[in-house]
Amino acid sequence: IIVSEWMGYFLLRESMLDSVIWARDKFLKPGGALYPSHARMYIAPMYNDDAVKKNAQYQETIREWTGFLAETATNYGVDMSCLTPTFCHEQWQFFVQSAQWMDLP
C-alpha cells in the first residue's frame, strides 16, 4: 500500500505526481493499492480583468523594447534585434502565461 498526499493546487502545482508514479511503478506489488488513486480536475474559461491588464502590460513592454532597440542602434550603432524573439517569448511567459486563480463563491 502506498499512501501519499501528492495533490497540490490544481493537482500538479507541487510537482509530486511524477514522484508518486515513480514510487508506484518501483514499489507497488501486483494487487497493491495506491491512496488516493484517482483525482478529478474541473476547468472552465473565465474572464478576468487582471488578464486584460497583464496583456496591456505585455504590449507596453514590447513597445518599450522596440524603443530600446531604436535608441541603441541610433546612439551606439548596435543592432540588438536578434534578441527580440527570445525577449518577446520571455515576456509572454511572464505576463500572459503566468497562472491566475479565481475563487468562486
Side-chain angles (χ1 to χ4, degrees):
I1 294 176
I2 296 177
V3 178
S4 176
E5 188 281 306
W6 56 270
M7 293 183 239
Y9 293 109
F10 204 60
L11 300 179
L12 305 172
R13 180 76 171 165
E14 296 171 10
S15 300
M16 291 296 298
L17 182 58
D18 294 345
S19 300
V20 172
I21 291 173
W22 178 84
R24 178 201 65 190
D25 294 344
K26 182 162 178 74
F27 299 113
L28 193 63
K29 300 202 184 286
L34 175 65
Y35 297 105
S37 62
H38 294 80
R40 195 176 283 169
M41 294 190 326
Y42 295 94
I43 186 170
M46 60 177 230
Y47 176 82
N48 185 343
D49 287 336
D50 288 340
V52 174
K53 290 176 188 173
K54 282 188 170 194
N55 191 39
Q57 289 173 328
Y58 167 73
Q59 296 298 332
E60 179 60 26
T61 300
I62 298 306
R63 279 192 292 278
E64 290 173 0
W65 173 255
T66 304
F68 170 76
L69 290 178
E71 186 178 318
T72 304
T74 302
N75 294 340
Y76 304 105
V78 177
D79 179 12
M80 298 181 69
S81 62
C82 63
L83 300 174
T84 298
T86 302
F87 178 82
C88 290
H89 178 71
E90 181 182 88
Q91 297 307 306
W92 178 262
Q93 286 179 319
F94 178 77
F95 285 110
V96 181
Q97 290 184 328
S98 56
Q100 295 186 32
W101 302 94
M102 178 176 277
D103 294 328
L104 301 176

